[in-house]
Amino acid sequence: MRIRSRLSHLAAVALAAGLTAGAAQAQFKERNFRVSNGVSKEHPMGNGLAKMGACTLEKSGGKMKIQPFWDGALGSDLTGTQSVRTGSLDMVITSTAPVVSIVPALGVFDLPFLFNTSSEADKLLDGKVGDWFSAKLPAVGLVNLAWWENGFRHTTNSKRPINKVEDFDGVKMRVMQNAIFLDTFKTLGSNAVPMAFTEVYSALETKTVDGQENPFTNIENMKFYEVQKYLTLTKHAYSPTLVLFSKKIWDTLSAQEQATLRECAVQGRDEQRRANRAMEARSVDSLKAKGMTVNEIAPAEMQRIRERSSVIYERHTKAIGDEAITMVTAELKRIRDN
Ligand code: TF8
């Protein structure tokens, strides 16, 4: 009798445990989310997506998969984002810049020399200001799961090292597809041409353009060093990366699936930023070893470049919106004062 009741107790416990696990699993359906990416799979975005995918797989009992597509195979940043809006694609990883045509407030991140360090960018983006921008996205069919990073942007070209603002004269520069980048590089004196990232390598190779600007990790990952001689450390902007999920598809997911995606995107973020910064720390040496001539700009000349580009703030305030600019600059001041 004693033994029997003990056994039935054990059975009841086992049954209850099974039921709870089953109930949790029932919140997950078999899912395969396709993610579009402009870069190649060796990029730190790959580390981030691998981490995020392992996390969703584990938390969903093997049901929820993340499937990356590389090298713009499913479209460029902008066309991928449009597919995500219509629901023909689940996710896209993109810098904010191409999304400015859809959400003008995001243009604030393209203002020249806004951020000084990645740690201040993290604080701003992972806090209430980042949330304010993310909250604008569902209205245009997008859900931002987390802020990853593209990183600080620097300038490459095939003509000459940039040592002063005048050196931009006559350099034909590919810029990201938005009015702020276009105006910045025109104001610096270059001949700026907007173009999707997926077309940049061949445009540089055929000399359709002389130069471009991107973080070290992208310059290395896309092998721009094969077709660019000079790398100038301009550090003129920090590109945040959006991890965008289709709102149309999002609305069909269970609360638990949604929560898991958000949680795993944050785990992916930490790994992606870590890997990106580790690669960035080695990139200059590695780009030199691959034959690039790397130069810094003297502080006085850098100051002239900052001054020349400062008009961009006023000129684009109306398009970006005063509220976004005021909020970001106030928060940056608060972060820096702390
Ligand atoms: C650009 C951007 C892109 C990134 C990347 C595809 O120059 O920096 O490289 O959005 O994730 O267009």
Side-chain angles (χ1 to χ4, degrees), residues 69-94:
F69 287 83
W70 305 102
D71 299 297
L74 299 183
S76 66
D77 285 344
L78 192 53
T79 58
T81 301
Q82 298 296 16
S83 303
V84 168
R85 291 179 76 190
T86 63
S88 62
L89 176 64
D90 305 285
M91 285 174 70
V92 65
I93 301 234
T94 172

mmCIF file with all atom_site columns, all heavy atoms in Angstrom, residues 69-94:
data_model
loop_
_atom_site.group_PDB
_atom_site.id
_atom_site.type_symbol
_atom_site.label_atom_id
_atom_site.label_alt_id
_atom_site.label_comp_id
_atom_site.label_asym_id
_atom_site.label_entity_id
_atom_site.label_seq_id
_atom_site.pdbx_PDB_ins_code
_atom_site.Cartn_x
_atom_site.Cartn_y
_atom_site.Cartn_z
_atom_site.occupancy
_atom_site.B_iso_or_equiv
_atom_site.pdbx_formal_charge
_atom_site.auth_seq_id
_atom_site.auth_comp_id
_atom_site.auth_asym_id
_atom_site.auth_atom_id
_atom_site.pdbx_PDB_model_num
ATOM 1   N N   . PHE A 1 69 ? 20.077 34.130 -45.188 1.00 0.00 ? 69 PHE A N   1
ATOM 2   C CA  . PHE A 1 69 ? 20.479 34.181 -46.595 1.00 0.00 ? 69 PHE A CA  1
ATOM 3   C C   . PHE A 1 69 ? 21.462 35.332 -46.748 1.00 0.00 ? 69 PHE A C   1
ATOM 4   O O   . PHE A 1 69 ? 21.187 36.442 -46.292 1.00 0.00 ? 69 PHE A O   1
ATOM 5   C CB  . PHE A 1 69 ? 19.259 34.415 -47.498 1.00 0.00 ? 69 PHE A CB  1
ATOM 6   C CG  . PHE A 1 69 ? 18.385 33.204 -47.607 1.00 0.00 ? 69 PHE A CG  1
ATOM 7   C CD1 . PHE A 1 69 ? 17.444 32.927 -46.635 1.00 0.00 ? 69 PHE A CD1 1
ATOM 8   C CD2 . PHE A 1 69 ? 18.530 32.325 -48.673 1.00 0.00 ? 69 PHE A CD2 1
ATOM 9   C CE1 . PHE A 1 69 ? 16.639 31.789 -46.721 1.00 0.00 ? 69 PHE A CE1 1
ATOM 10  C CE2 . PHE A 1 69 ? 17.734 31.186 -48.768 1.00 0.00 ? 69 PHE A CE2 1
ATOM 11  C CZ  . PHE A 1 69 ? 16.788 30.922 -47.793 1.00 0.00 ? 69 PHE A CZ  1
ATOM 12  N N   . TRP A 1 70 ? 22.600 35.053 -47.382 1.00 0.00 ? 70 TRP A N   1
ATOM 13  C CA  . TRP A 1 70 ? 23.705 36.020 -47.396 1.00 0.00 ? 70 TRP A CA  1
ATOM 14  C C   . TRP A 1 70 ? 23.856 36.734 -48.730 1.00 0.00 ? 70 TRP A C   1
ATOM 15  O O   . TRP A 1 70 ? 23.231 36.370 -49.708 1.00 0.00 ? 70 TRP A O   1
ATOM 16  C CB  . TRP A 1 70 ? 25.017 35.298 -47.038 1.00 0.00 ? 70 TRP A CB  1
ATOM 17  C CG  . TRP A 1 70 ? 24.896 34.588 -45.734 1.00 0.00 ? 70 TRP A CG  1
ATOM 18  C CD1 . TRP A 1 70 ? 24.700 33.245 -45.530 1.00 0.00 ? 70 TRP A CD1 1
ATOM 19  C CD2 . TRP A 1 70 ? 24.910 35.189 -44.428 1.00 0.00 ? 70 TRP A CD2 1
ATOM 20  N NE1 . TRP A 1 70 ? 24.593 32.983 -44.181 1.00 0.00 ? 70 TRP A NE1 1
ATOM 21  C CE2 . TRP A 1 70 ? 24.719 34.143 -43.479 1.00 0.00 ? 70 TRP A CE2 1
ATOM 22  C CE3 . TRP A 1 70 ? 25.056 36.491 -43.956 1.00 0.00 ? 70 TRP A CE3 1
ATOM 23  C CZ2 . TRP A 1 70 ? 24.677 34.379 -42.108 1.00 0.00 ? 70 TRP A CZ2 1
ATOM 24  C CZ3 . TRP A 1 70 ? 25.016 36.726 -42.595 1.00 0.00 ? 70 TRP A CZ3 1
ATOM 25  C CH2 . TRP A 1 70 ? 24.837 35.674 -41.685 1.00 0.00 ? 70 TRP A CH2 1
ATOM 26  N N   . ASP A 1 71 ? 24.752 37.712 -48.736 1.00 0.00 ? 71 ASP A N   1
ATOM 27  C CA  . ASP A 1 71 ? 25.166 38.416 -49.965 1.00 0.00 ? 71 ASP A CA  1
ATOM 28  C C   . ASP A 1 71 ? 23.984 39.015 -50.734 1.00 0.00 ? 71 ASP A C   1
ATOM 29  O O   . ASP A 1 71 ? 23.992 39.057 -51.955 1.00 0.00 ? 71 ASP A O   1
ATOM 30  C CB  . ASP A 1 71 ? 25.940 37.469 -50.895 1.00 0.00 ? 71 ASP A CB  1
ATOM 31  C CG  . ASP A 1 71 ? 27.197 36.948 -50.215 1.00 0.00 ? 71 ASP A CG  1
ATOM 32  O OD1 . ASP A 1 71 ? 28.074 37.770 -49.895 1.00 0.00 ? 71 ASP A OD1 1
ATOM 33  O OD2 . ASP A 1 71 ? 27.292 35.730 -49.971 1.00 0.00 ? 71 ASP A OD2 1
ATOM 34  N N   . GLY A 1 72 ? 22.973 39.429 -50.009 1.00 0.00 ? 72 GLY A N   1
ATOM 35  C CA  . GLY A 1 72 ? 21.835 40.047 -50.683 1.00 0.00 ? 72 GLY A CA  1
ATOM 36  C C   . GLY A 1 72 ? 21.074 39.095 -51.582 1.00 0.00 ? 72 GLY A C   1
ATOM 37  O O   . GLY A 1 72 ? 20.367 39.533 -52.498 1.00 0.00 ? 72 GLY A O   1
ATOM 38  N N   . ALA A 1 73 ? 21.185 37.785 -51.333 1.00 0.00 ? 73 ALA A N   1
ATOM 39  C CA  . ALA A 1 73 ? 20.516 36.802 -52.192 1.00 0.00 ? 73 ALA A CA  1
ATOM 40  C C   . ALA A 1 73 ? 18.999 36.990 -52.207 1.00 0.00 ? 73 ALA A C   1
ATOM 41  O O   . ALA A 1 73 ? 18.337 36.643 -53.187 1.00 0.00 ? 73 ALA A O   1
ATOM 42  C CB  . ALA A 1 73 ? 20.867 35.383 -51.744 1.00 0.00 ? 73 ALA A CB  1
ATOM 43  N N   . LEU A 1 74 ? 18.443 37.555 -51.135 1.00 0.00 ? 74 LEU A N   1
ATOM 44  C CA  . LEU A 1 74 ? 16.994 37.808 -51.112 1.00 0.00 ? 74 LEU A CA  1
ATOM 45  C C   . LEU A 1 74 ? 16.694 39.294 -51.304 1.00 0.00 ? 74 LEU A C   1
ATOM 46  O O   . LEU A 1 74 ? 15.585 39.739 -51.033 1.00 0.00 ? 74 LEU A O   1
ATOM 47  C CB  . LEU A 1 74 ? 16.377 37.304 -49.802 1.00 0.00 ? 74 LEU A CB  1
ATOM 48  C CG  . LEU A 1 74 ? 16.494 35.809 -49.494 1.00 0.00 ? 74 LEU A CG  1
ATOM 49  C CD1 . LEU A 1 74 ? 15.760 35.470 -48.205 1.00 0.00 ? 74 LEU A CD1 1
ATOM 50  C CD2 . LEU A 1 74 ? 15.940 34.962 -50.638 1.00 0.00 ? 74 LEU A CD2 1
ATOM 51  N N   . GLY A 1 75 ? 17.683 40.057 -51.739 1.00 0.00 ? 75 GLY A N   1
ATOM 52  C CA  . GLY A 1 75 ? 17.455 41.485 -51.984 1.00 0.00 ? 75 GLY A CA  1
ATOM 53  C C   . GLY A 1 75 ? 18.441 42.349 -51.223 1.00 0.00 ? 75 GLY A C   1
ATOM 54  O O   . GLY A 1 75 ? 19.168 41.879 -50.349 1.00 0.00 ? 75 GLY A O   1
ATOM 55  N N   . SER A 1 76 ? 18.465 43.622 -51.573 1.00 0.00 ? 76 SER A N   1
ATOM 56  C CA  . SER A 1 76 ? 19.324 44.576 -50.867 1.00 0.00 ? 76 SER A CA  1
ATOM 57  C C   . SER A 1 76 ? 18.637 44.964 -49.562 1.00 0.00 ? 76 SER A C   1
ATOM 58  O O   . SER A 1 76 ? 17.529 44.506 -49.268 1.00 0.00 ? 76 SER A O   1
ATOM 59  C CB  . SER A 1 76 ? 19.509 45.817 -51.741 1.00 0.00 ? 76 SER A CB  1
ATOM 60  O OG  . SER A 1 76 ? 18.272 46.480 -51.883 1.00 0.00 ? 76 SER A OG  1
ATOM 61  N N   . ASP A 1 77 ? 19.290 45.816 -48.781 1.00 0.00 ? 77 ASP A N   1
ATOM 62  C CA  . ASP A 1 77 ? 18.686 46.260 -47.517 1.00 0.00 ? 77 ASP A CA  1
ATOM 63  C C   . ASP A 1 77 ? 17.268 46.800 -47.747 1.00 0.00 ? 77 ASP A C   1
ATOM 64  O O   . ASP A 1 77 ? 16.330 46.439 -47.037 1.00 0.00 ? 77 ASP A O   1
ATOM 65  C CB  . ASP A 1 77 ? 19.532 47.378 -46.885 1.00 0.00 ? 77 ASP A CB  1
ATOM 66  C CG  . ASP A 1 77 ? 20.825 46.851 -46.256 1.00 0.00 ? 77 ASP A CG  1
ATOM 67  O OD1 . ASP A 1 77 ? 20.932 45.628 -46.039 1.00 0.00 ? 77 ASP A OD1 1
ATOM 68  O OD2 . ASP A 1 77 ? 21.717 47.671 -45.973 1.00 0.00 ? 77 ASP A OD2 1
ATOM 69  N N   . LEU A 1 78 ? 17.145 47.651 -48.747 1.00 0.00 ? 78 LEU A N   1
ATOM 70  C CA  . LEU A 1 78 ? 15.860 48.318 -48.969 1.00 0.00 ? 78 LEU A CA  1
ATOM 71  C C   . LEU A 1 78 ? 14.814 47.381 -49.571 1.00 0.00 ? 78 LEU A C   1
ATOM 72  O O   . LEU A 1 78 ? 13.672 47.321 -49.086 1.00 0.00 ? 78 LEU A O   1
ATOM 73  C CB  . LEU A 1 78 ? 16.060 49.553 -49.859 1.00 0.00 ? 78 LEU A CB  1
ATOM 74  C CG  . LEU A 1 78 ? 14.890 50.520 -49.949 1.00 0.00 ? 78 LEU A CG  1
ATOM 75  C CD1 . LEU A 1 78 ? 14.401 50.964 -48.581 1.00 0.00 ? 78 LEU A CD1 1
ATOM 76  C CD2 . LEU A 1 78 ? 15.277 51.750 -50.777 1.00 0.00 ? 78 LEU A CD2 1
ATOM 77  N N   . THR A 1 79 ? 15.194 46.618 -50.594 1.00 0.00 ? 79 THR A N   1
ATOM 78  C CA  . THR A 1 79 ? 14.197 45.716 -51.193 1.00 0.00 ? 79 THR A CA  1
ATOM 79  C C   . THR A 1 79 ? 13.841 44.593 -50.202 1.00 0.00 ? 79 THR A C   1
ATOM 80  O O   . THR A 1 79 ? 12.687 44.169 -50.134 1.00 0.00 ? 79 THR A O   1
ATOM 81  C CB  . THR A 1 79 ? 14.677 45.123 -52.543 1.00 0.00 ? 79 THR A CB  1
ATOM 82  O OG1 . THR A 1 79 ? 15.907 44.433 -52.326 1.00 0.00 ? 79 THR A OG1 1
ATOM 83  C CG2 . THR A 1 79 ? 14.888 46.203 -53.583 1.00 0.00 ? 79 THR A CG2 1
ATOM 84  N N   . GLY A 1 80 ? 14.821 44.145 -49.425 1.00 0.00 ? 80 GLY A N   1
ATOM 85  C CA  . GLY A 1 80 ? 14.545 43.157 -48.373 1.00 0.00 ? 80 GLY A CA  1
ATOM 86  C C   . GLY A 1 80 ? 13.557 43.705 -47.359 1.00 0.00 ? 80 GLY A C   1
ATOM 87  O O   . GLY A 1 80 ? 12.612 43.019 -46.946 1.00 0.00 ? 80 GLY A O   1
ATOM 88  N N   . THR A 1 81 ? 13.761 44.962 -46.973 1.00 0.00 ? 81 THR A N   1
ATOM 89  C CA  . THR A 1 81 ? 12.855 45.596 -46.005 1.00 0.00 ? 81 THR A CA  1
ATOM 90  C C   . THR A 1 81 ? 11.443 45.696 -46.575 1.00 0.00 ? 81 THR A C   1
ATOM 91  O O   . THR A 1 81 ? 10.462 45.437 -45.867 1.00 0.00 ? 81 THR A O   1
ATOM 92  C CB  . THR A 1 81 ? 13.391 46.994 -45.619 1.00 0.00 ? 81 THR A CB  1
ATOM 93  O OG1 . THR A 1 81 ? 14.697 46.832 -45.067 1.00 0.00 ? 81 THR A OG1 1
ATOM 94  C CG2 . THR A 1 81 ? 12.496 47.667 -44.592 1.00 0.00 ? 81 THR A CG2 1
ATOM 95  N N   . GLN A 1 82 ? 11.348 46.017 -47.863 1.00 0.00 ? 82 GLN A N   1
ATOM 96  C CA  . GLN A 1 82 ? 10.012 46.085 -48.485 1.00 0.00 ? 82 GLN A CA  1
ATOM 97  C C   . GLN A 1 82 ? 9.338  44.713 -48.483 1.00 0.00 ? 82 GLN A C   1
ATOM 98  O O   . GLN A 1 82 ? 8.136  44.604 -48.203 1.00 0.00 ? 82 GLN A O   1
ATOM 99  C CB  . GLN A 1 82 ? 10.096 46.636 -49.921 1.00 0.00 ? 82 GLN A CB  1
ATOM 100 C CG  . GLN A 1 82 ? 10.639 48.059 -50.024 1.00 0.00 ? 82 GLN A CG  1
ATOM 101 C CD  . GLN A 1 82 ? 9.766  49.136 -49.363 1.00 0.00 ? 82 GLN A CD  1
ATOM 102 O OE1 . GLN A 1 82 ? 8.874  48.839 -48.563 1.00 0.00 ? 82 GLN A OE1 1
ATOM 103 N NE2 . GLN A 1 82 ? 10.052 50.403 -49.661 1.00 0.00 ? 82 GLN A NE2 1
ATOM 104 N N   . SER A 1 83 ? 10.112 43.655 -48.736 1.00 0.00 ? 83 SER A N   1
ATOM 105 C CA  . SER A 1 83 ? 9.540  42.299 -48.703 1.00 0.00 ? 83 SER A CA  1
ATOM 106 C C   . SER A 1 83 ? 9.060  41.932 -47.300 1.00 0.00 ? 83 SER A C   1
ATOM 107 O O   . SER A 1 83 ? 8.046  41.254 -47.138 1.00 0.00 ? 83 SER A O   1
ATOM 108 C CB  . SER A 1 83 ? 10.576 41.261 -49.148 1.00 0.00 ? 83 SER A CB  1
ATOM 109 O OG  . SER A 1 83 ? 11.063 41.560 -50.429 1.00 0.00 ? 83 SER A OG  1
ATOM 110 N N   . VAL A 1 84 ? 9.814  42.385 -46.284 1.00 0.00 ? 84 VAL A N   1
ATOM 111 C CA  . VAL A 1 84 ? 9.422  42.110 -44.905 1.00 0.00 ? 84 VAL A CA  1
ATOM 112 C C   . VAL A 1 84 ? 8.122  42.857 -44.584 1.00 0.00 ? 84 VAL A C   1
ATOM 113 O O   . VAL A 1 84 ? 7.231  42.340 -43.913 1.00 0.00 ? 84 VAL A O   1
ATOM 114 C CB  . VAL A 1 84 ? 10.575 42.480 -43.933 1.00 0.00 ? 84 VAL A CB  1
ATOM 115 C CG1 . VAL A 1 84 ? 10.105 42.492 -42.486 1.00 0.00 ? 84 VAL A CG1 1
ATOM 116 C CG2 . VAL A 1 84 ? 11.732 41.490 -44.101 1.00 0.00 ? 84 VAL A CG2 1
ATOM 117 N N   . ARG A 1 85 ? 7.986  44.058 -45.098 1.00 0.00 ? 85 ARG A N   1
ATOM 118 C CA  . ARG A 1 85 ? 6.749  44.832 -44.853 1.00 0.00 ? 85 ARG A CA  1
ATOM 119 C C   . ARG A 1 85 ? 5.531  44.129 -45.438 1.00 0.00 ? 85 ARG A C   1
ATOM 120 O O   . ARG A 1 85 ? 4.471  44.103 -44.829 1.00 0.00 ? 85 ARG A O   1
ATOM 121 C CB  . ARG A 1 85 ? 6.864  46.225 -45.483 1.00 0.00 ? 85 ARG A CB  1
ATOM 122 C CG  . ARG A 1 85 ? 7.864  47.105 -44.795 1.00 0.00 ? 85 ARG A CG  1
ATOM 123 C CD  . ARG A 1 85 ? 7.942  48.447 -45.481 1.00 0.00 ? 85 ARG A CD  1
ATOM 124 N NE  . ARG A 1 85 ? 6.806  49.288 -45.145 1.00 0.00 ? 85 ARG A NE  1
ATOM 125 C CZ  . ARG A 1 85 ? 6.532  50.439 -45.768 1.00 0.00 ? 85 ARG A CZ  1
ATOM 126 N NH1 . ARG A 1 85 ? 7.292  50.857 -46.765 1.00 0.00 ? 85 ARG A NH1 1
ATOM 127 N NH2 . ARG A 1 85 ? 5.500  51.162 -45.396 1.00 0.00 ? 85 ARG A NH2 1
ATOM 128 N N   . THR A 1 86 ? 5.678  43.566 -46.643 1.00 0.00 ? 86 THR A N   1
ATOM 129 C CA  . THR A 1 86 ? 4.518  42.917 -47.268 1.00 0.00 ? 86 THR A CA  1
ATOM 130 C C   . THR A 1 86 ? 4.298  41.512 -46.716 1.00 0.00 ? 86 THR A C   1
ATOM 131 O O   . THR A 1 86 ? 3.261  40.912 -46.970 1.00 0.00 ? 86 THR A O   1
ATOM 132 C CB  . THR A 1 86 ? 4.690  42.803 -48.802 1.00 0.00 ? 86 THR A CB  1
ATOM 133 O OG1 . THR A 1 86 ? 5.817  41.952 -49.061 1.00 0.00 ? 86 THR A OG1 1
ATOM 134 C CG2 . THR A 1 86 ? 4.922  44.159 -49.440 1.00 0.00 ? 86 THR A CG2 1
ATOM 135 N N   . GLY A 1 87 ? 5.278  40.970 -46.001 1.00 0.00 ? 87 GLY A N   1
ATOM 136 C CA  . GLY A 1 87 ? 5.127  39.630 -45.433 1.00 0.00 ? 87 GLY A CA  1
ATOM 137 C C   . GLY A 1 87 ? 5.597  38.523 -46.365 1.00 0.00 ? 87 GLY A C   1
ATOM 138 O O   . GLY A 1 87 ? 5.412  37.346 -46.086 1.00 0.00 ? 87 GLY A O   1
ATOM 139 N N   . SER A 1 88 ? 6.260  38.882 -47.483 1.00 0.00 ? 88 SER A N   1
ATOM 140 C CA  . SER A 1 88 ? 6.784  37.826 -48.353 1.00 0.00 ? 88 SER A CA  1
ATOM 141 C C   . SER A 1 88 ? 8.148  37.340 -47.858 1.00 0.00 ? 88 SER A C   1
ATOM 142 O O   . SER A 1 88 ? 8.682  36.349 -48.339 1.00 0.00 ? 88 SER A O   1
ATOM 143 C CB  . SER A 1 88 ? 6.851  38.286 -49.813 1.00 0.00 ? 88 SER A CB  1
ATOM 144 O OG  . SER A 1 88 ? 7.717  39.384 -49.940 1.00 0.00 ? 88 SER A OG  1
ATOM 145 N N   . LEU A 1 89 ? 8.705  38.036 -46.882 1.00 0.00 ? 89 LEU A N   1
ATOM 146 C CA  . LEU A 1 89 ? 9.950  37.617 -46.226 1.00 0.00 ? 89 LEU A CA  1
ATOM 147 C C   . LEU A 1 89 ? 9.775  37.850 -44.725 1.00 0.00 ? 89 LEU A C   1
ATOM 148 O O   . LEU A 1 89 ? 9.106  38.795 -44.323 1.00 0.00 ? 89 LEU A O   1
ATOM 149 C CB  . LEU A 1 89 ? 11.114 38.468 -46.785 1.00 0.00 ? 89 LEU A CB  1
ATOM 150 C CG  . LEU A 1 89 ? 12.503 38.279 -46.196 1.00 0.00 ? 89 LEU A CG  1
ATOM 151 C CD1 . LEU A 1 89 ? 13.024 36.864 -46.470 1.00 0.00 ? 89 LEU A CD1 1
ATOM 152 C CD2 . LEU A 1 89 ? 13.482 39.308 -46.782 1.00 0.00 ? 89 LEU A CD2 1
ATOM 153 N N   . ASP A 1 90 ? 10.371 36.953 -43.902 1.00 0.00 ? 90 ASP A N   1
ATOM 154 C CA  . ASP A 1 90 ? 10.165 37.038 -42.451 1.00 0.00 ? 90 ASP A CA  1
ATOM 155 C C   . ASP A 1 90 ? 10.997 38.136 -41.793 1.00 0.00 ? 90 ASP A C   1
ATOM 156 O O   . ASP A 1 90 ? 10.508 38.880 -40.950 1.00 0.00 ? 90 ASP A O   1
ATOM 157 C CB  . ASP A 1 90 ? 10.518 35.693 -41.794 1.00 0.00 ? 90 ASP A CB  1
ATOM 158 C CG  . ASP A 1 90 ? 9.757  34.548 -42.406 1.00 0.00 ? 90 ASP A CG  1
ATOM 159 O OD1 . ASP A 1 90 ? 8.557  34.428 -42.115 1.00 0.00 ? 90 ASP A OD1 1
ATOM 160 O OD2 . ASP A 1 90 ? 10.345 33.782 -43.210 1.00 0.00 ? 90 ASP A OD2 1
ATOM 161 N N   . MET A 1 91 ? 12.295 38.191 -42.157 1.00 0.00 ? 91 MET A N   1
ATOM 162 C CA  . MET A 1 91 ? 13.202 39.094 -41.441 1.00 0.00 ? 91 MET A CA  1
ATOM 163 C C   . MET A 1 91 ? 14.251 39.689 -42.364 1.00 0.00 ? 91 MET A C   1
ATOM 164 O O   . MET A 1 91 ? 14.641 39.074 -43.346 1.00 0.00 ? 91 MET A O   1
ATOM 165 C CB  . MET A 1 91 ? 13.969 38.323 -40.351 1.00 0.00 ? 91 MET A CB  1
ATOM 166 C CG  . MET A 1 91 ? 13.188 37.976 -39.111 1.00 0.00 ? 91 MET A CG  1
ATOM 167 S SD  . MET A 1 91 ? 14.200 36.927 -38.018 1.00 0.00 ? 91 MET A SD  1
ATOM 168 C CE  . MET A 1 91 ? 15.433 38.103 -37.447 1.00 0.00 ? 91 MET A CE  1
ATOM 169 N N   . VAL A 1 92 ? 14.743 40.861 -41.973 1.00 0.00 ? 92 VAL A N   1
ATOM 170 C CA  . VAL A 1 92 ? 15.892 41.455 -42.661 1.00 0.00 ? 92 VAL A CA  1
ATOM 171 C C   . VAL A 1 92 ? 16.789 42.113 -41.614 1.00 0.00 ? 92 VAL A C   1
ATOM 172 O O   . VAL A 1 92 ? 16.305 42.623 -40.605 1.00 0.00 ? 92 VAL A O   1
ATOM 173 C CB  . VAL A 1 92 ? 15.443 42.480 -43.735 1.00 0.00 ? 92 VAL A CB  1
ATOM 174 C CG1 . VAL A 1 92 ? 14.740 43.679 -43.113 1.00 0.00 ? 92 VAL A CG1 1
ATOM 175 C CG2 . VAL A 1 92 ? 16.628 42.963 -44.583 1.00 0.00 ? 92 VAL A CG2 1
ATOM 176 N N   . ILE A 1 93 ? 18.088 42.007 -41.865 1.00 0.00 ? 93 ILE A N   1
ATOM 177 C CA  . ILE A 1 93 ? 19.057 42.702 -41.021 1.00 0.00 ? 93 ILE A CA  1
ATOM 178 C C   . ILE A 1 93 ? 19.609 43.834 -41.861 1.00 0.00 ? 93 ILE A C   1
ATOM 179 O O   . ILE A 1 93 ? 20.180 43.592 -42.923 1.00 0.00 ? 93 ILE A O   1
ATOM 180 C CB  . ILE A 1 93 ? 20.197 41.726 -40.635 1.00 0.00 ? 93 ILE A CB  1
ATOM 181 C CG1 . ILE A 1 93 ? 19.588 40.545 -39.906 1.00 0.00 ? 93 ILE A CG1 1
ATOM 182 C CG2 . ILE A 1 93 ? 21.286 42.434 -39.872 1.00 0.00 ? 93 ILE A CG2 1
ATOM 183 C CD1 . ILE A 1 93 ? 20.146 40.239 -38.589 1.00 0.00 ? 93 ILE A CD1 1
ATOM 184 N N   . THR A 1 94 ? 19.397 45.048 -41.434 1.00 0.00 ? 94 THR A N   1
ATOM 185 C CA  . THR A 1 94 ? 19.798 46.201 -42.252 1.00 0.00 ? 94 THR A CA  1
ATOM 186 C C   . THR A 1 94 ? 20.282 47.357 -41.390 1.00 0.00 ? 94 THR A C   1
ATOM 187 O O   . THR A 1 94 ? 19.843 47.495 -40.245 1.00 0.00 ? 94 THR A O   1
ATOM 188 C CB  . THR A 1 94 ? 18.608 46.692 -43.122 1.00 0.00 ? 94 THR A CB  1
ATOM 189 O OG1 . THR A 1 94 ? 18.960 47.916 -43.774 1.00 0.00 ? 94 THR A OG1 1
ATOM 190 C CG2 . THR A 1 94 ? 17.357 46.950 -42.288 1.00 0.00 ? 94 THR A CG2 1
#
